[in-house]
Amino acid sequence: MIPPQEASARRREIEDKLKQEEETLSFIRDSLEKSDQLTKNMVSILSSFESRLMKLENSIIPVHKQTENLQRLQENVEKTLSCLDHVISYYHVASDTEKIIREGPTGRLEEYLGSMAKIQKAVEYFQDNSPDSPELNKVKLLFERGKESLESEFRSLMTRHSKVVSPVLILDLISGEDELEVQEEVPLEHLPEGVLQDVIRISRWLVEYGRNQDFMNVYYQIRSSQLDRSIKGLKEHFRKSSSSSGVPYSPAIPNKRKDTPTKKPIKRPGTIRKAQNLLKQYSQHGLDGKKGGSNLIPLEGRDDTLDVETDAYIHCVSAFVRLAQSEYQLLMDVIPEHHQKKTFDSLIQDALDGLMLEGENIVSAARKAIIRHDFSAVLTVFPILRHLKQTKPEFDQVLQGTAANTKNKLPGLITSMETVGAKALEDFADNIKNDPDKEYNMPKDGTVHELTSNAILFLQQLLDFQETAGAMLASQVLGDTYNIPLDPRETSSAATSYSSEFSKRLLSTYICKVLGNLQLNLLSKSKVYEDPALSAIFLHNNYNYILKALEKSELIQLVAVTQKTAERSYREHIEQQIQTYQRSWLKVTDYIAEKNLPVFQPGVKLRDKERQMIKERFKGFNDGLEELCKIQKAWAIPDMEQRDKIRQAQKNIVRETYGAFLHRYGSVPFTKNPEKYIKYRVEQVGDMIDRLFDTSA
């Protein structure tokens, strides 16, 4: 049971909560009523606003549409006015630009091209919109006049500013080719930078808008002339410098930048002058042959003009390559890409044809020289051919993309030179073999024959051009002629490609052939002499000259490639001729030889027959000695070493034999006048022999 106090308290608590809930419920009802009233008011306001908006929309939309129409009309008017202004501007182009076009583009190319752009647009407008209007003809005429002025300006700029490259600059350009260190390239400014940019702009405009290619012909004609004149100027400068100072190389450019290295002269090719210097060296040792002629024109008589012409041509070939490379670089900036190769082909034709013509003239001159046996002139082909072959890779690179006819010009010239060179080599060998034995051409003193010195001089040239000469021989398939097998590893394509070793063997065999022909001819010539001793001296001098000449150069090594015993063979020939010469003294020494002397007992009186025999021996010796000394004194042995050797050997033999004879019979009373028969002492005989081969004694 709950106590009454708690129950009463609980009831009061419940009543209080109920009262609070009723108050809350009453508040909610009041709030809902207010909310409903507010909602009704809002709905009424919105309905009124919607009604007003509808009225406003009905009023504004027509105005808006009318405004849009007005704006569209305004835009159309503005566009129309703009179009009218644009169209009207075309009608004023001719009058606005006529003065500029008439005055030309000189000095204001940018403004001129701007005017031409306006005229071009006017032409396009009238062609599209009013092809029959007189304005079209007017702007067309003005455009053509402007285009002609641009073409004229292009020609004028190229003509006025294209300068011939000076020989000094060309020589500096090509003089560093043989330098080991990398040199700074000599710059070639064919056109001033500003002029070049104008030329480029005009050319591009003419291609893009002028639809004109005539300027390309103008370009190549002007540049072709400058290229040709530059090379000819170098050649002329080379000749003048050589004739005046003997030095065909220009000084450094006076105004060259300080950091530009000075180029050294180009290494000159080996020429006949080198062999002549060698001949002078040999003559100092008594090896020169100055007497005795042959049907070969002496190499010593060769004019230095040939050397100048050869060197000038070689320089011009190098100059052409360098200048052509430079021209192509310039052309790439001016001429459209698809026209560059054709234009370049035309540009280089005159200069290239000039070089090829001069080369063919050299070949023609060489052929004529072969006919008259002037092989010194033929030697000009060798350095030129070598240089052409060395330069051919650069030639091929420069001419890449040109016509086949242009590319084939240099190989054709090389082939012609190889052919004439091979002909010269073969004819030279034949002439050495067939040089006639003319008695009046033989050296009276038995010295070296001119044929020998000429042959050696000619062979000396081949040392500097071993590969070139080998190529000449190989080009004519001379391997079969000389019985040299063509090793597949060394040759290909009918001997047009070959190794250095094969070239040496070909050349060695050829030199041995020439030396063999020379030896046979000398043997034949020696028979012209009636005196076998003089014939022996002649052969001795020539063989000795050949051997010493071979030894003092690289010829002996080249000969040894195919003839290992050549040096020993010549020494044997020389010794054999000495022995033949010594036999000429037998007619002197036989008189006093012990085997031919009478035998008698000491102290026993000689019989008349014995005395007469001794007298005859003395007389025969004296007469023979005097005769031989008189004759052989006029003979010559230019080599001092050989001369002393032969004198000493002969002196020893004669003195020994005469000394023994004099010792045996000098005191024998075989005559009442001993001074009549004993004319010479042993020392006097030696002195007489010492004066042999000395025309000055």
Side-chain angles (χ1 to χ4, degrees):
M1 292 285 296
I2 300 174
Q5 293 85 356
E6 292 181 4
S8 177
R10 181 72 176 253
R11 188 173 54 253
R12 284 193 301 274
E13 183 180 355
I14 293 171
E15 288 175 354
D16 290 339
K17 287 185 178 180
L18 182 61
K19 186 178 179 179
Q20 289 178 356
E21 291 294 334
E22 287 175 352
E23 290 175 354
T24 301
L25 180 61
S26 176
F27 176 75
I28 292 172
R29 285 194 186 100
D30 293 339
S31 296
L32 286 173
E33 289 176 358
K34 291 179 180 180
S35 178
D36 289 340
Q37 186 63 40
L38 290 172
T39 300
K40 290 178 181 179
N41 293 337
M42 182 59 69
V43 169
S44 175
I45 291 170
L46 290 174
S47 297
S48 175
F49 184 69
E50 182 180 6
S51 175
R52 291 179 180 180
L53 282 177
M54 289 180 66
K55 290 179 181 180
L56 181 61
E57 183 179 354
N58 292 333
S59 301
I60 292 300
I61 286 177
V63 174
H64 176 69
K65 289 182 178 179
Q66 186 177 5
T67 302
E68 283 184 341
N69 291 334
L70 290 174
Q71 288 177 340
R72 191 177 298 110
L73 287 173
Q74 183 180 2
E75 290 176 357
N76 290 338
V77 169
E78 290 176 352
K79 288 181 180 180
T80 302
L81 291 174
S82 176
C83 288
L84 286 173
D85 290 340
H86 183 68
V87 170
I88 291 171
S89 69
Y90 289 129
Y91 286 86
H92 294 289
V93 164
S95 59
D96 291 343
T97 60
E98 185 175 7
K99 180 180 179 182
I100 296 175
I101 299 303
R102 184 174 64 252
E103 292 176 352
T106 304
R108 51 175 181 177
L109 182 61
E110 190 72 29
E111 181 184 4
Y112 193 89
L113 291 178
S115 297
M116 290 298 294
K118 293 179 181 179
I119 298 172
Q120 172 71 14
K121 290 180 181 179
V123 171
E124 293 172 355
Y125 170 79
F126 288 122
Q127 285 178 336
D128 294 339
N129 299 281
S130 184
D132 297 329
S133 65
E135 284 77 8
L136 175 60
N137 294 331
K138 185 182 294 186
V139 291
K140 269 188 174 182
L141 183 62
L142 196 59
F143 182 81
E144 290 300 321
R145 187 188 303 170
K147 185 171 72 171
E148 290 175 1
S149 294
L150 284 172
E151 293 171 356
S152 177
E153 179 69 5
F154 182 89
R155 179 188 294 274
S156 176
L157 289 174
M158 291 297 301
T159 303
R160 285 188 288 114
H161 297 282
S162 290
K163 305 297 182 183
V164 173
V165 183
S166 71
V168 172
L169 187 56
I170 295 176
L171 286 171
D172 279 344
L173 180 68
I174 65 179
S175 62
E177 293 178 350
D178 295 330
E179 297 295 323
L180 296 178
E181 65 273 11
V182 178
Q183 300 261 0
E184 178 186 345
E185 290 188 3
V186 179
L188 280 183
E189 186 181 69
H190 295 292
L191 294 172
E193 183 61 29
V195 174
L196 176 59
Q197 294 305 318
D198 286 350
V199 167
I200 292 173
R201 292 203 63 187
I202 293 174
S203 69
R204 290 177 179 174
W205 189 93
L206 290 173
V207 170
E208 185 174 357
Y209 301 107
R211 307 291 189 270
N212 186 299
Q213 298 181 5
D214 292 342
F215 77 95
M216 300 181 195
N217 296 333
V218 172
Y219 178 87
Y220 91 71
Q221 289 169 1
I222 293 174
R223 294 307 309 165
S224 175
S225 174
Q226 300 303 325
L227 175 62
D228 191 42
R229 290 171 59 194
S230 296
I231 294 177
K232 289 178 179 177
L234 172 64
K235 185 176 181 181
E236 187 63 26
H237 168 82
F238 201 95
R239 288 174 177 172
K240 289 180 179 178
S241 298
S242 298
S243 61
S244 61
S245 63
V247 181
Y249 307 106
S250 63
I253 300 176
N255 295 325
K256 187 185 292 185
R257 297 198 315 271
K258 186 176 181 180
D259 59 343
T260 302
T262 301
K263 305 293 173 63
K264 298 179 180 178
I266 292 179
K267 190 181 296 181
R268 298 188 71 190
T271 62
I272 189 65
R273 192 177 296 112
K274 177 178 178 181
Q276 291 172 344
N277 292 335
L278 288 171
L279 179 61
K280 291 178 182 177
Q281 295 176 12
Y282 301 153
S283 65
Q284 292 172 359
H285 294 83
L287 296 179
D288 196 3
K290 297 180 180 178
K291 298 181 181 179
S294 73
N295 65 335
L296 298 176
I297 295 179
L299 299 187
E300 300 96 314
R302 182 174 182 264
D303 192 345
D304 283 349
T305 302
L306 290 175
D307 279 340
V308 174
E309 293 293 333
T310 299
D311 292 345
Y313 185 74
I314 288 174
H315 280 72
C316 288
V317 169
S318 295
F320 172 81
V321 173
R322 293 289 172 264
L323 293 177
Q325 290 172 341
S326 181
E327 286 292 345
Y328 191 74
Q329 293 298 319
L330 177 66
L331 177 141
M332 290 173 64
D333 292 330
V334 179
I335 304 300
E337 183 177 358
H338 54 288
H339 291 286
Q340 289 173 0
K341 294 295 184 182
K342 182 179 179 181
T343 304
F344 180 70
D345 195 340
S346 300
L347 189 154
I348 62 173
Q349 283 304 314
D350 286 347
L352 181 59
D353 287 344
L355 284 178
M356 295 302 107
L357 177 61
E358 189 172 351
E360 290 296 341
N361 289 339
I362 292 171
V363 172
S364 178
R367 290 195 183 100
K368 294 177 181 177
I370 293 173
I371 295 175
R372 62 178 186 271
H373 302 156
D374 180 8
F375 294 98
S376 63
V378 178
L379 290 172
T380 59
V381 172
F382 284 74
I384 292 174
L385 178 58
R386 180 176 65 181
H387 187 71
L388 289 179
K389 285 191 166 186
Q390 291 172 345
T391 314
K392 186 176 182 297
E394 291 182 282
F395 248 98
D396 293 341
Q397 185 178 4
V398 169
L399 301 182
Q400 186 177 5
T402 58
N405 181 51
T406 303
K407 294 178 181 177
N408 293 333
K409 288 180 179 180
L410 181 64
L413 179 59
I414 289 176
T415 300
S416 296
M417 287 193 170
E418 283 189 335
T419 302
V420 76
K423 173 67 174 172
L425 292 175
E426 279 303 287
D427 280 18
F428 181 79
D430 291 342
N431 274 277
I432 292 296
K433 180 179 180 180
N434 301 319
D435 188 71
D437 306 326
K438 297 178 181 178
E439 184 174 354
Y440 61 85
N441 277 335
M442 294 297 290
K444 304 300 182 183
D445 57 1
T447 190
V448 179
H449 198 280
E450 191 175 37
L451 178 70
T452 303
S453 60
N454 277 347
I456 293 298
L457 282 173
F458 186 86
L459 294 180
Q460 288 288 350
Q461 306 315 295
L462 304 186
L463 290 176
D464 289 329
F465 309 104
Q466 294 185 34
E467 291 189 5
T468 303
M472 291 176 176
L473 298 172
S475 69
Q476 303 301 310
V477 199
L478 295 181
D480 294 337
T481 303
Y482 297 118
N483 298 318
I484 295 181
L486 301 180
D487 191 330
R489 293 171 298 180
E490 297 178 331
T491 62
S492 64
S493 304
T496 57
S497 177
Y498 48 89
S499 71
S500 175
E501 190 61 31
F502 177 70
S503 173
K504 276 189 176 181
R505 290 213 306 273
L506 269 179
L507 192 55
S508 175
T509 305
Y510 171 78
I511 291 174
C512 291
K513 176 183 177 181
V514 172
L515 292 175
N517 289 350
L518 177 60
Q519 186 173 340
L520 291 174
N521 198 310
L522 290 173
L523 282 171
S524 176
K525 290 182 184 302
S526 68
K527 296 175 183 178
V528 171
Y529 296 110
E530 296 179 359
D531 191 335
L534 180 55
S535 177
I537 292 297
F538 171 76
L539 290 176
H540 165 274
N541 285 331
N542 282 271
Y543 291 156
N544 185 61
Y545 177 89
I546 294 171
L547 178 60
K548 290 295 177 68
L550 293 178
E551 290 177 335
K552 287 181 179 294
S553 67
E554 297 177 9
L555 276 175
I556 192 65
Q557 288 87 355
L558 197 53
V559 169
V561 172
T562 54
Q563 293 291 337
K564 304 294 184 183
T565 62
E567 185 175 359
R568 185 180 67 189
S569 176
Y570 273 110
R571 295 192 186 281
E572 291 174 354
H573 288 320
I574 292 169
E575 190 59 36
Q576 181 182 356
Q577 298 309 317
I578 292 176
Q579 293 174 6
T580 301
Y581 162 74
Q582 289 176 342
R583 285 197 289 271
S584 69
W585 282 84
L586 290 178
K587 63 182 180 180
V588 176
T589 56
D590 277 353
Y591 279 105
I592 57 175
E594 188 174 353
K595 63 181 180 178
N596 296 325
L597 297 178
V599 181
F600 61 90
Q601 296 296 327
V604 179
K605 186 179 180 181
L606 296 175
R607 292 175 295 178
D608 292 342
K609 182 178 180 181
E610 292 173 340
R611 287 195 298 271
Q612 185 61 33
M613 182 178 293
I614 294 173
K615 291 179 182 179
E616 290 176 356
R617 294 292 182 267
F618 269 107
K619 186 177 186 306
F621 173 78
N622 292 335
D623 292 346
L625 176 66
E626 292 169 355
E627 181 184 1
L628 280 185
C629 287
K630 180 181 179 181
I631 294 173
Q632 295 185 8
K633 177 183 177 182
W635 297 354
I637 299 180
D639 188 337
M640 183 182 299
E641 181 182 348
Q642 287 290 314
R643 183 168 66 240
D644 292 343
K645 174 184 175 182
I646 293 173
R647 282 173 175 171
Q648 189 62 42
Q650 196 59 54
K651 185 168 63 173
N652 292 341
I653 294 173
V654 176
R655 286 179 59 180
E656 181 181 352
T657 305
Y658 182 64
F661 177 75
L662 195 60
H663 177 73
R664 185 169 185 177
Y665 294 101
S667 58
V668 174
F670 65 92
T671 179
K672 294 179 181 180
N673 300 310
E675 67 278 359
K676 177 180 178 181
Y677 297 97
I678 307 176
K679 296 174 63 175
Y680 303 105
R681 299 189 308 275
V682 174
E683 292 76 11
Q684 289 178 306
V685 171
D687 291 341
M688 293 173 69
I689 295 176
D690 278 337
R691 289 193 291 271
L692 297 180
F693 316 118
D694 188 358
T695 56
S696 63

